[in-house]
Amino acid sequence: MADWTLFEVFVRSKHGLNHKHVGSVHAADAEMAIENARELYTRRSEGVSIWVVPSTAITATASDEKEALFDPADDKVYRHASFYELPDEVGHM
Amino acid sequence: MYAQMVETGSKGVRDLESMSDQERAFQERVDADIKIEAKNWMPEAYRKTLIRQISQHAHSEIVGMLPEGNWVTRAPSLKRKLQLMAKIQDEAGHGLYLYSAMETLGADRDEEVQKMHEGKAKYSSIFNYPTLNWADMGTIGWLVDGAAIVNQVPLQRTSYGPYARAMIRVCKEESFHQRQGYEILLHMMTHGNEAQKAMVQDSINRFWWPVLMMFGPSDANSPNSAQSMAWKIKRHSNDELRQRFIDQTIPQLQILGCTVPDPDLKYNEETGHWEFGDIEWSEFYEVLKGNGPCNKERVAQRKKAIDEGAWVREAAVAYAKKKQQRNAA
Amino acid sequence: MTRYDDLTELLLQLGDSAMVQAQRLCELVGGAPALEEEVALMNVGLDLVGQARNWLEYAAERINDGRTADDLVFLRDSSDYCNLLLVELPNGDFGVTIAKQFLFDSWHYAMLQSLSGSSDERIAAVATKSFKEVTYHLRRSSEWVKRLGDGTDESHQRMQAAIDQVWHYSFEFSMPTEHLAALEAEGVFPAASTVHERWSETVKAVLSEATLTQPEAAARNYLSGREGLHTESLGYILAEMQFLPRAYPDANW
């Protein structure tokens, strides 16, 4: 049997929100993948926009890279607004 | 339960000391309720067991469309037809969500489906029973989906991330299935004529014991349960889930004004649980072996659809290639 | 055979066609060529049953003899059904299923496009909602005609055979104008006289892109869905669909 391609599906649930990964579909090409994703993942009006990407086109971080990639961010508290203490008089900033 | 007797390939659960560093890190992660994701290291037996369990669950959704498809052309009103069509469609969708979760483990959907068609992979025993009257559409929603929900709700917290997320989606969408089933029966019992009431009772009589079998054999006869529980791909024992299901179902049965074919059923005031009679396990094992009333028909129907669709799927691929070439030119 | 005014007959034709088409789709449960297609076919079916209910509720009000939309679906015999002959034909292989769906969708699209601008507010509202759904149905079935027509040698042959097989029933798409002239003049059915032409343009474009040969214009014969003169298939469809309400006339489901 001629295999269909596995596509990962990303749906934007409301205007203004990011596309979010929801799962995958099989399809012969990207157009069909969009249609299949529409039928499968937006049956209850969950989406306003769909992206499909061939699964093989996605490069992901490997689990053993976790420490190298993500741990360094853990101690950079100065990136977070709550790190900076301001007097109450300043009000909301 | 849609996944029954999933083989784990392990004879016993090992303690942390006897594991390799990798295995121990994995088990500690599971113990700490941190989700395992596709890219994380996992023991090969965990991966294989999950593929078996998730594919069995997915096959059940797909084969589960057939007993309802048997009545969708004969639904007695527009409302009932729309409800049943939407439910069957959800089942196809849920099968696809589950296959999708399974594929993150490196399994191939077509290959797993092929195994089911060849009788090498199982699906829930319940779908090998026939649907003989319209009330069966109600009973399937109420009892079969009800039993499935008792199993699936804890699986939303299962250790494998993609499976847990698929289960969350399935549970959310399935909330209407059990209610619509029960409402079909309740309506027939409260507004129906004598023939309709007889249909409801007949349907419950036929489905009651097979539904209790859905949870799988007694804990004493479930050699794989301990390992699956340690991996948190199963969160409660078969007997525990079966008891939970019976306790929640009997009051609903009483509201219907129906009975179940179990002379031993009685409420135990001390334990607060309903006690029930012995399950005929030889029937369950026969159905699993392929000797249920509809095993051959169900598998043949699925195989026929996929076999006869081969030229269609091939055409779609050929067309996609031509289009790509034209766009490139 | 009971006959109604032109508007009621139009409503019955729209409602019955959607209903019978949906019934044929229900037969396909568990039989689609791919799992993704199971979900898709049922989406189309759900849209169509919803549309049938809307049209037939309006028809029932106009007929005004106490019958509901459900009564019209489940208790009329074939000679009272006004659906297009095309939709009652058996599903056949997936090529025939798609050929039927595509020819129906392209006609449906042209009909609803016109009716969306109806001076009858109720018709305009139902048509506008249905038109959105059918726009998608047509897109999907057109894509399949192209995939199968311009796919492999086998699929090309099957798709051509399917079109040739069901094309015969497309003569109904050019409806007798005497029924529609008044509705068109009143603004109830704007551009009714161009439905056939617009249908024909869609079909020509899609078949050509699908590398398929469009058969000669279909010859009329004495069958007519609108007048209740159906193929032999409809009786069986109704026997199955209406079984429960017929077998248990005093039941409440």
Side-chain angles (χ1 to χ4, degrees):
Chain A
M1 172 196 140
D3 282 346
W4 285 5
T5 307
L6 186 64
F7 287 85
E8 299 301 321
V9 180
F10 301 80
V11 173
R12 170 184 283 170
S13 56
K14 275 183 227 148
H15 286 290
L17 294 183
N18 290 335
H19 284 76
K20 191 175 153 197
H21 183 245
V22 292
S24 58
V25 290
H26 288 211
D29 56 28
E31 285 75 17
M32 191 198 272
I34 290 271
E35 287 177 12
N36 290 348
R38 180 257 189 199
E39 310 281 5
L40 183 59
Y41 291 105
T42 66
R43 296 200 302 292
R44 288 173 169 80
S45 0
E46 293 94 333
V48 292
S49 163
I50 297 174
W51 291 348
V52 293
V53 184
S55 303
T56 50
I58 291 182
T59 309
T61 56
S63 59
D64 54 7
E65 294 174 320
K66 181 178 171 289
E67 288 180 13
L69 287 173
F70 303 117
D71 287 359
D74 286 353
D75 59 2
K76 296 188 176 57
V77 286
Y78 44 81
R79 288 195 198 277
H80 299 278
S82 58
F83 178 71
Y84 300 90
E85 282 187 28
L86 297 181
D88 289 345
E89 305 88 273
V90 178
H92 180 72
M93 186 182 284
Chain B
M1 188 183 289
Y2 279 177
Q4 297 159 330
M5 303 189 72
V6 178
E7 173 66 44
T8 56
S10 105
K11 293 286 164 263
V13 182
R14 288 155 62 207
D15 53 25
L16 289 173
E17 284 72 43
S18 65
M19 292 178 181
S20 70
D21 289 351
Q22 241 175 350
E23 285 172 324
R24 194 178 314 116
F26 170 85
Q27 189 61 49
E28 281 167 357
R29 195 181 160 113
V30 170
D31 292 344
D33 275 328
I34 301 170
K35 293 270 178 277
I36 306 299
E37 297 296 338
K39 294 276 171 183
N40 295 140
W41 183 89
M42 60 186 82
E44 199 47 29
Y46 174 85
R47 180 194 303 275
K48 284 191 173 147
T49 303
L50 264 179
I51 291 173
R52 269 193 291 269
Q53 178 168 333
I54 302 174
S55 66
Q56 193 181 124
H57 199 152
H59 300 332
S60 300
E61 295 281 356
I62 300 302
V63 177
M65 295 165 67
L66 303 178
E68 292 175 316
N70 183 41
W71 279 93
V72 71
T73 53
R74 289 176 290 172
S77 70
L78 291 170
K79 181 176 94 172
R80 297 295 179 207
K81 203 176 194 77
L82 285 166
Q83 290 170 346
L84 189 57
M85 290 167 78
K87 180 171 186 287
I88 293 172
Q89 188 196 37
D90 274 349
E91 278 147 16
H94 296 168
L96 287 169
Y97 298 160
L98 286 158
Y99 284 127
S100 169
M102 180 198 76
E103 291 191 290
T104 63
L105 291 158
D108 179 83
R109 182 174 106 191
D110 297 330
E111 281 173 22
E112 297 304 318
V113 167
Q114 189 65 29
K115 284 183 197 164
M116 193 254 286
H117 292 176
E118 289 167 1
K120 290 181 197 155
K122 291 193 291 260
Y123 52 86
S124 178
S125 54
I126 194 71
F127 300 118
N128 291 313
Y129 290 84
T131 51
L132 302 177
N133 71 39
W134 169 255
D136 289 355
M137 297 304 100
T139 305
I140 286 181
W142 173 45
L143 294 180
V144 175
D145 288 79
I149 290 167
V150 166
N151 170 49
Q152 287 168 354
V153 165
L155 284 178
Q156 295 179 98
R157 295 182 294 112
T158 194
S159 61
Y160 187 57
Y163 190 24
R165 290 191 288 273
M167 270 354 293
I168 289 169
R169 214 181 164 90
V170 167
C171 286
K172 195 172 131 202
E173 295 188 352
E174 240 171 36
S175 56
F176 96 88
H177 291 184
Q178 194 186 13
R179 291 172 73 99
Q180 72 97 33
Y182 189 69
E183 201 245 356
I184 286 175
L185 300 182
L186 189 61
H187 192 87
M188 288 170 81
M189 292 306 293
T190 53
H191 295 80
N193 59 26
E194 290 310 309
Q196 288 178 288
K197 289 177 190 170
M199 274 182 211
V200 175
Q201 187 59 59
D202 166 58
S203 176
I204 295 172
N205 289 348
R206 279 182 287 110
F207 274 96
W208 179 249
W209 290 112
V211 163
L212 295 188
M213 292 175 201
M214 286 173 70
F215 295 91
S218 209
D219 298 345
N221 297 315
S222 298
N224 299 297
S225 283
Q227 181 62 73
S228 288
M229 304 254 282
W231 281 335
K232 294 190 181 173
I233 55 180
K234 180 172 180 160
R235 313 252 0 190
H236 302 279
S237 78
N238 294 348
D239 287 334
E240 192 183 344
L241 291 173
R242 185 166 20 242
Q243 187 64 55
R244 187 181 296 178
F245 170 75
I246 291 175
D247 288 342
Q248 76 180 36
T249 301
I250 299 302
Q252 297 162 358
L253 176 81
Q254 291 170 332
I255 292 170
L256 281 181
C258 291
T259 58
V260 291
D262 180 358
D264 297 328
L265 185 81
K266 62 172 185 294
Y267 188 68
N268 184 325
E269 293 283 350
E270 276 175 39
T271 60
H273 292 300
W274 285 90
E275 292 172 355
F276 54 99
D278 291 336
I279 294 173
E280 186 62 47
W281 288 110
S282 58
E283 176 182 324
F284 174 74
Y285 290 112
E286 278 304 308
V287 175
L288 280 201
K289 267 196 273 173
N291 299 325
C294 303
N295 294 58
K296 290 180 180 59
E297 290 84 348
R298 300 286 191 242
V299 172
Q301 197 178 342
R302 284 307 308 148
K303 189 172 180 311
K304 182 168 181 275
I306 296 304
D307 289 353
E308 289 184 355
W311 70 273
V312 175
R313 297 190 301 275
E314 280 162 16
V317 172
Y319 176 76
K321 278 188 189 143
K322 283 187 197 175
K323 206 167 59 173
Q324 205 175 14
Q325 282 162 1
R326 276 199 291 266
N327 289 344
Chain C
M1 191 180 350
T2 327
R3 290 294 113 185
Y4 307 102
D5 62 79
D6 288 341
L7 176 53
T8 306
E9 285 197 1
L10 177 68
L11 295 170
L12 289 172
Q13 185 190 40
L14 288 162
D16 292 347
S17 296
M19 193 65 218
V20 175
Q21 178 69 12
Q23 177 71 5
R24 283 297 194 202
L25 289 173
C26 285
E27 292 174 14
L28 295 173
V29 164
L35 289 174
E36 276 79 3
E37 206 53 27
E38 296 278 352
V39 185
L41 290 170
M42 208 42 78
N43 264 342
V44 176
L46 282 165
D47 286 345
L48 291 176
V49 176
Q51 293 176 19
R53 182 160 66 175
N54 287 331
W55 293 126
L56 294 176
E57 275 171 0
Y58 192 16
E61 284 173 32
R62 291 183 60 87
I63 293 168
N64 195 26
D65 61 1
R67 283 184 294 175
T68 62
D70 270 273
D71 294 334
L72 292 179
V73 170
F74 292 99
L75 298 172
R76 273 181 305 156
D77 204 344
S78 60
S79 58
D80 276 336
Y81 259 75
C82 297
N83 61 282
L84 296 167
L85 301 170
L86 174 82
V87 297
E88 66 198 45
L89 303 178
N91 286 323
D93 71 2
F94 194 67
V96 174
T97 300
I98 287 298
K100 284 175 57 191
Q101 186 74 48
F102 167 67
L103 292 178
F104 173 64
D105 290 344
S106 46
W107 170 83
H108 208 187
Y109 180 90
M111 291 287 282
L112 295 172
Q113 193 173 38
S114 289
L115 291 168
S116 299
S118 174
S119 59
D120 180 314
E121 279 179 22
R122 181 135 170 213
I123 291 185
V126 174
T128 302
K129 179 178 181 292
S130 307
F131 182 65
K132 284 186 202 159
E133 295 169 346
V134 170
T135 301
Y136 189 74
H137 302 174
L138 176 60
R139 172 181 149 167
R140 260 185 44 82
S141 57
S142 303
E143 283 300 311
W144 269 117
V145 170
K146 289 185 237 170
R147 283 187 200 114
L148 299 180
D150 193 18
T152 61
D153 289 345
E154 181 188 4
S155 74
H156 177 82
Q157 280 169 24
R158 281 178 182 258
M159 195 63 224
Q160 184 67 57
I163 292 282
D164 293 346
Q165 185 186 325
V166 302
W167 182 261
H168 172 53
Y169 295 92
S170 68
F171 72 82
E172 278 198 292
F173 295 166
S174 52
M175 287 197 284
T177 45
E178 66 267 26
H179 290 299
L180 299 175
L183 292 178
E184 185 166 4
E186 291 162 25
V188 174
F189 191 172
S193 49
T194 65
V195 165
H196 182 258
E197 193 185 324
R198 283 179 285 131
W199 167 78
S200 183
E201 279 167 17
T202 307
V203 169
K204 193 177 161 195
V206 173
L207 291 186
S208 151
E209 207 182 322
T211 71
L212 294 165
T213 309
Q214 182 168 339
E216 296 287 311
R220 204 164 271 286
N221 64 37
Y222 88 97
L223 291 180
S224 162
R226 194 185 166 92
E227 292 169 52
L229 292 162
H230 289 275
T231 68
E232 291 174 346
S233 292
L234 186 62
Y236 291 96
I237 293 176
L238 298 185
E240 184 173 0
M241 184 167 81
Q242 301 179 335
F243 159 65
L244 284 170
R246 296 272 194 196
Y248 302 92
D250 63 339
N252 189 322
W253 307 98

